[in-house]
Amino acid sequence: MDKLRLKFSKTGRAVYLSHLDLMRTMQRVFSRAGVPLKYSEGFNPHAKISIILPLSVGTASLCEYMDFALTEERDLATLPEALNAYMPEGIRALEAYEAPCKGAELRWLMVEGVMKGGRDAAFYTEFFARDTIPVTRKAKRGMRTDDIAPAIQAVQFNDMEGGVAVKAILHAQDPTVSPELMMAALGEDAPAYWRFTRLEAFKEDLTPFR
Amino acid sequence: MEMNEHIDALLRQVQRPARYVGGEYGQVVKDKADVDVRFAFCFPDTYEIGMSNLGMKILYGVLNDMPGVWCERVFAPWGDMAEKLRQEHIPLWALESGDPLSDFDIIAFSIGYEMAYTTVLDMLDLGGVPIHASERMGLEHMVMAGGGCMCNIEPMADFFDLCFLGEGEDVDREVLALYQKAKREGWDKPRFLRQAAQIEGVYIPSLYDIAYNADGTVAAITPKDGAPEKVRKRIVEDFDACYFPTKPVVPSTEIVHDRVSLEVFRGCIRGCRFCQAGHTNRPVRSRKAETLLKLGKETLENTGYQELNLSSLSTSDYRELSELCDGLLDYCRPRGISLSLPSLRADNFSMDIMHRVQQVRKSGLTFAPEAGTQRLRDVINKNVTEEDLLNSCRIAFQGGWNGVKLYFMLGLPTETDEDVLGIADLAKKVYWTWREAAPDRSRGVRITVSTSEFIPKPHTPFQWEAQISREEYLRRVKLLTDALAKAKSVTYNWHDAEMSLVEAALARGDRRVGAVVEEVWKNGGRLESWSDYFALDRWLAAFPACGLDMDFYATRGRPTEELQPWEHMDCAVSRRHLERERERAYEGVLTPDCRAGCAGCGASRLLKEGVCRG
């Protein structure tokens, strides 16, 4: 079975797993569950799996996607349950299905987070309401400055106990705006601590990505 | 384990945080309400090293199978993390519960190498537990230790309450059961320790008085309160039926040996005279091929690992190796699982197995002739001839291998410059063998020669020998470097002798050396088996600061009459055998392996029938 997609969540202790850790872990989960992944040919065979838009270490997600292929037919409806019996803490398979589109079509991610040790909601609201939000970052050749304002939508800040709660829809590919970049844009007004979770994924036209 | 924001913030600032959070598949979590003994299994090195250790996997399983006992894992944090924990006043925690070390009843260390000693003190301190046994008055925070270093743990005697000599599977359970009783009945610590000393394989350092002569040598070792005069090590007699962890914790992040490690047998039939493990793990006891096959399959299925390794001190000596490999290959090959065989001897039989196993990937081959001339190989009882070695290389080169690693020691007893130069000759002969045997020479060949410094270890026939000085080691390295300078396709790597010097001093140290370990730790010593953190200067300063001479421990030859600091440890091989082997070494006489003829080492005493069968 080719072109399959697994939707899963990565929360709790699992947020500290790197992308490579996760790839290795997923292979072993499939192997423990007796679900045979398709492997590449050659001297150093590796499982044909790919994770769309790998998370950075420390960020949680309720909407991760992994594309994979199996060497035999499986009931996709019961696959998540079968895999979950063999998962480490913090990773849950949610849904398995035939991929209806390419992973590259995932364009927007809704995220929520908490920001502590910085300014209040009013300050951040005003900051991100500006027409242009320039961020300077390292590029292949020297430093590059981009305007990330068009890549941030529906951003909301609310004061909460001890900090500010934030929710936004960020452009995830071409260009990529991660929560880290959003924080970096704040410069000296960036909070001392922040933590984000991916909630939902969308296509370019903001229809749900599957 | 709860990841609060404080800890989360900290984890975001350190390298590879996944190693500090637990949550892996296969970890054991128990309800604290059902637990009466909380046991922290501490490994005094990083997660990546500790999680690769088979002993830890075994005991984690054995202890967690006990009702009322919850065994958790604790590892030494890397430097960045240790610094943060101290800065933020966060105590070192156990991976399963996230609870600080100070919450545990028993804090037990597995110690396989001397360079871990300072890390033990650092972990206790990071965990909020007093480092000295004398500062811990109650039944809680009982600090224990086990592992290879227990055959002379005197330098750590002031820090440990209880040590396990030998294999832990049975004795750990017995001690735990006694501890459960002590806790239930409200015993005090001295009573518990006195009782525990009666269990075979248990060593209570505080129950022995050590007297010294004016020259610093040990005068007497006197047991008190009914402790045995000699502590005899424990073994699992029926190794075939011995517990094996078929459902170990599977790390989510990469570790050093990330695979199933199947322990084929314990002990070693070879009597290499420099080798501590080969002497302290006797007698040889094997698992049946049938048992191993079953355990191997089960563990592969339970873990999802793609690699299986056959482990032992000398896997070629396993009687049923051929059947085992065939059986495993039948299972592994269709599933894309690779089989690896380390510690093979340079003989034809091993090469045949090697060919069958490594049909896909032809990586490098490793041989350990240990010495450059036959004379010196006979002295150390390494039963490998030049002919064996070159033959093995020829078969390997014919089969398409194009890399060989050769390991040697410098500074072995009786070594002369001729022996050192013999290493260069041997490397050159390997090269010529390749020229003759390789079917395709266009790819070239890589011959790597590595040397490390010989370290005399307790419970070996060389336990009385002097270690050569650093200067002398470096002179011999230079000699070899020059001799290999023009050798084609040969790379020479040598390990620095700085760490060997410290290791030698600790390996044969007495109780007074504990002050040195403490001094070095106070000056920042930790994780010292890592060159990132090792500093010889700290040790060179600490010995005189404690009124001791490092050379007295490292480079001094001892007369065989001298009472050694570890003579109350009975590791089954008798002193008489060691003395005899020492004499034979000086005569250059080989002692056959255990199967060719029993040398009467004394280890068979531990077996009910009194006969080794491995």
Side-chain angles (χ1 to χ4, degrees):
Chain A
M1 291 176 95
D2 293 328
K3 293 191 178 164
L4 302 178
R5 186 164 288 164
L6 182 75
K7 183 180 181 186
F8 64 98
S9 62
K10 184 170 177 267
T11 59
R13 297 201 231 190
V15 304
Y16 304 103
L17 296 190
S18 70
H19 173 60
L20 285 177
D21 291 339
L22 183 63
M23 297 276 280
R24 187 170 25 242
T25 298
M26 282 298 194
Q27 284 188 42
R28 288 183 188 157
V29 168
F30 275 77
S31 169
R32 290 194 285 262
V35 182
L37 284 172
K38 221 174 233 181
Y39 274 73
S40 66
E41 307 279 317
F43 280 111
N44 200 352
H46 55 273
K48 286 187 174 178
I49 57 175
S50 88
I51 291 171
I52 306 170
L53 290 177
L55 274 170
S56 48
V57 172
T59 300
S61 177
L62 305 179
C63 59
E64 291 304 285
Y65 299 90
M66 183 181 97
D67 287 349
F68 65 101
L70 299 179
T71 58
E72 56 185 59
E73 293 293 312
R74 284 284 164 147
D75 176 17
L76 295 176
T78 58
L79 190 61
E81 200 185 330
L83 295 174
N84 282 336
Y86 300 95
M87 289 283 189
E89 211 180 291
I91 303 176
R92 302 309 290 167
L94 303 170
E95 207 185 340
Y97 48 89
E98 284 178 42
C101 63
K102 286 206 157 84
E105 290 187 38
L106 195 169
R107 287 297 161 124
W108 295 92
L109 283 164
M110 184 191 285
V111 299
E112 71 172 6
V114 291
M115 301 159 67
K116 296 195 171 179
R119 311 295 290 258
D120 61 4
F123 176 88
Y124 294 134
T125 305
E126 200 186 310
F127 186 96
F128 285 100
R130 290 181 300 163
D131 291 340
T132 61
I133 306 169
V135 188
T136 304
R137 59 179 148 174
K138 256 190 208 145
K140 273 177 194 150
R141 279 185 222 122
M143 301 299 278
R144 197 180 84 192
T145 303
D146 294 311
D147 174 21
I148 63 167
I152 302 177
Q153 290 198 16
V155 64
Q156 292 168 37
F157 295 94
N158 288 299
D159 288 314
M160 56 175 270
E161 209 190 311
V164 174
V166 51
K167 211 167 177 179
I169 297 176
L170 304 178
H171 206 265
Q173 296 195 72
D174 302 321
T176 302
V177 174
S178 62
E180 287 79 16
L181 193 66
M182 203 177 148
M183 295 298 107
L186 285 162
E188 286 178 4
D189 294 307
Y193 172 81
W194 68 80
R195 169 149 71 172
F196 280 87
T197 303
R198 286 179 180 174
L199 299 178
E200 271 180 75
F202 305 96
K203 293 184 176 183
E204 189 62 60
D205 60 2
L206 288 172
T207 57
F209 173 87
R210 263 191 107 242
Chain B
M1 175 178 177
E2 207 42 51
M3 285 297 157
N4 64 40
E5 278 166 16
H6 193 187
I7 297 206
D8 180 54
L10 191 110
L11 290 169
R12 285 156 183 273
Q13 296 169 56
V14 298
Q15 293 173 48
R16 313 196 54 198
R19 56 187 160 174
Y20 303 121
V21 299
E24 310 94 321
Y25 177 74
Q27 71 166 8
V28 177
V29 174
K30 293 193 180 183
D31 184 345
K32 286 183 201 173
D34 304 331
V35 169
D36 56 5
V37 177
R38 295 198 61 190
F39 189 104
F41 195 119
C42 302
F43 197 91
D45 210 318
T46 59
Y47 178 89
E48 291 84 341
I49 303 283
M51 285 298 291
S52 304
N53 184 275
L54 180 60
M56 180 162 204
K57 289 179 208 177
I58 294 172
L59 296 174
Y60 186 79
V62 165
L63 295 170
N64 277 321
D65 278 353
M66 287 182 77
V69 175
W70 185 13
C71 172
E72 302 185 43
R73 297 160 297 146
V74 188
F75 300 96
W78 193 245
D80 56 348
M81 182 67 167
E83 203 176 297
K84 291 262 178 256
L85 291 175
R86 288 208 156 90
Q87 252 169 32
E88 308 277 326
H89 303 287
I90 298 172
L92 181 63
W93 64 75
L95 295 187
E96 282 77 0
S97 65
D99 290 336
L101 205 51
S102 55
D103 278 9
F104 286 77
D105 296 299
I106 295 175
I107 297 154
F109 289 86
S110 171
I111 312 182
Y113 33 92
E114 294 83 0
M115 296 313 294
Y117 289 171
T118 50
T119 312
V120 170
L121 303 189
D122 199 56
M123 287 174 75
L124 287 173
D125 184 63
L126 276 170
V129 176
I131 62 165
H132 298 104
S134 59
E135 297 170 280
R136 301 183 300 260
M137 313 304 274
L139 208 55
E140 76 283 356
H141 300 164
M142 198 67 72
V143 178
M144 304 185 178
C149 283
M150 297 308 119
C151 64
N152 176 30
I153 196 61
E154 291 309 286
M156 296 297 280
D158 292 342
F159 311 113
F160 293 137
D161 297 305
L162 185 153
C163 300
F164 298 100
L165 188 64
E167 296 164 11
E169 284 92 342
D170 298 330
V171 68
D172 281 16
R173 270 188 283 232
E174 290 163 27
V175 168
L176 267 270
L178 185 71
Y179 186 86
Q180 281 175 312
K181 182 176 167 172
K183 211 178 159 185
R184 219 165 36 234
E185 297 179 2
W187 297 6
D188 61 6
K189 180 175 171 180
R191 182 173 174 198
F192 169 72
L193 293 179
R194 275 199 310 273
Q195 281 294 320
Q198 300 306 316
I199 300 174
E200 191 162 280
V202 170
Y203 171 47
I204 310 291
S206 61
L207 294 184
Y208 294 79
D209 283 328
I210 316 293
Y212 298 91
N213 295 311
D215 64 1
T217 55
V218 175
I221 301 169
T222 317
K224 53 188 182 190
D225 292 340
E229 203 158 306
K230 281 192 189 278
V231 177
R232 180 182 282 189
K233 77 160 183 185
R234 285 291 285 274
I235 59 163
V236 175
E237 185 162 354
D238 184 357
F239 185 57
D240 192 54
C242 179
Y243 174 87
F244 183 82
T246 53
K247 208 170 177 297
V249 181
V250 183
S252 304
T253 190
E254 198 172 7
I255 61 168
V256 179
H257 299 302
D258 212 1
R259 58 197 177 205
V260 174
S261 193
L262 202 54
E263 196 183 13
V264 178
F265 64 87
R266 285 190 186 164
C268 187
I269 60 165
R270 312 277 160 183
C272 300
R273 293 177 178 131
F274 57 85
C275 180
Q276 189 180 45
H279 283 88
T280 57
N281 290 296
R282 289 180 169 203
V284 171
R285 289 144 295 143
S286 311
R287 281 196 173 99
K288 293 184 190 123
E290 190 193 330
T291 312
L292 288 166
L293 217 50
K294 184 175 151 284
L295 295 175
K297 282 183 201 169
E298 222 176 290
T299 316
L300 285 166
E301 272 165 27
N302 287 340
T303 57
Y305 273 124
Q306 288 293 305
E307 187 182 346
L308 182 140
N309 164 59
L310 295 183
S311 98
S312 77
L313 290 169
S314 175
T315 301
S316 318
D317 290 326
Y318 179 56
R319 288 185 199 268
E320 299 175 86
L321 187 57
S322 207
E323 297 90 307
L324 177 61
C325 284
D326 288 343
L328 284 172
L329 284 172
D330 284 348
Y331 178 83
C332 293
R333 217 164 251 154
R335 292 169 179 80
I337 296 168
S338 59
L339 188 58
S340 60
L341 300 169
S343 63
L344 285 188
R345 290 178 64 80
D347 57 29
N348 290 339
F349 165 70
S350 305
M351 293 312 299
D352 171 53
I353 298 264
M354 208 54 192
H355 271 286
R356 269 188 285 159
V357 168
Q358 297 214 327
Q359 280 175 359
V360 187
R361 259 184 264 178
K362 289 209 163 67
S363 48
L365 271 178
T366 303
F367 296 116
E370 310 289 4
T373 59
Q374 198 56 47
R375 186 201 69 80
L376 192 53
R377 281 194 294 273
D378 289 350
V379 167
I380 62 175
N381 204 38
K382 184 87 194 183
N383 268 317
V384 169
T385 63
E386 184 175 301
E387 201 187 329
D388 288 337
L389 180 79
L390 295 180
N391 227 340
S392 298
C393 288
R394 181 170 297 115
I395 298 167
F397 294 143
Q398 281 164 351
W401 265 280
N402 57 359
V404 176
K405 284 185 191 153
L406 303 170
Y407 286 157
F408 299 91
M409 276 187 274
L410 289 180
L412 285 162
T414 77
E415 184 180 70
T416 62
D417 285 358
E418 199 182 315
D419 298 310
V420 176
L421 295 172
I423 296 174
D425 287 340
L426 197 54
K428 286 173 194 165
K429 282 177 189 160
V430 170
Y431 173 75
W432 283 105
T433 305
W434 172 78
R435 298 262 310 180
E436 285 166 21
D440 172 14
R441 296 212 304 250
S442 64
R443 285 163 68 214
V445 65
R446 289 181 319 279
I447 300 162
T448 311
V449 171
S450 297
T451 64
S452 55
E453 190 181 10
F454 163 67
I455 302 170
K457 294 268 171 132
H459 301 280
T460 68
F462 291 159
Q463 65 173 354
W464 299 280
E465 299 299 322
Q467 186 186 43
I468 57 169
S469 67
R470 250 189 315 156
E471 294 72 27
E472 179 55 23
Y473 175 73
L474 294 176
R475 190 190 67 80
R476 293 184 198 184
V477 165
K478 173 86 172 39
L479 192 67
L480 186 52
T481 309
D482 292 346
L484 285 171
K486 283 183 192 153
K488 273 194 192 131
S489 306
V490 179
T491 316
Y492 175 36
N493 299 324
W494 50 280
H495 295 273
D496 206 316
E498 296 192 344
M499 214 182 272
S500 315
L501 179 70
V502 175
E503 201 180 317
L506 294 176
R508 293 190 292 175
D510 55 34
R511 265 183 205 197
R512 296 170 304 177
V513 175
V516 176
V517 175
E518 189 176 340
E519 174 75 8
V520 168
W521 167 67
K522 278 185 179 154
N523 290 320
R526 63 188 302 278
L527 290 181
E528 288 200 290
S529 55
W530 296 82
S531 55
D532 311 50
Y533 293 115
F534 175 76
L536 180 65
D537 289 350
R538 273 196 296 249
W539 292 93
L540 291 178
F543 272 92
C546 298
L548 297 171
D549 174 11
M550 199 166 179
D551 286 334
F552 174 83
Y553 295 101
T555 56
R556 181 176 67 96
R558 285 105 160 130
T560 47
E561 305 83 63
E562 184 181 317
L563 185 64
Q564 298 304 325
W566 55 87
E567 302 229 17
H568 50 322
M569 296 296 114
D570 174 4
C571 292
V573 172
S574 71
R575 196 185 209 270
R576 221 182 47 232
H577 175 76
L578 298 181
E579 285 174 25
R580 199 163 53 223
E581 279 298 297
R582 179 175 188 265
E583 282 162 26
R584 291 169 75 93
Y586 277 98
E587 289 160 11
V589 179
L590 289 170
T591 297
D593 69 66
C594 297
R595 283 180 199 148
C598 177
C601 74
S604 61
R605 281 182 295 148
L606 299 192
L607 301 169
K608 269 187 216 93
E609 295 166 37
V611 185
C612 301
R613 296 197 182 280

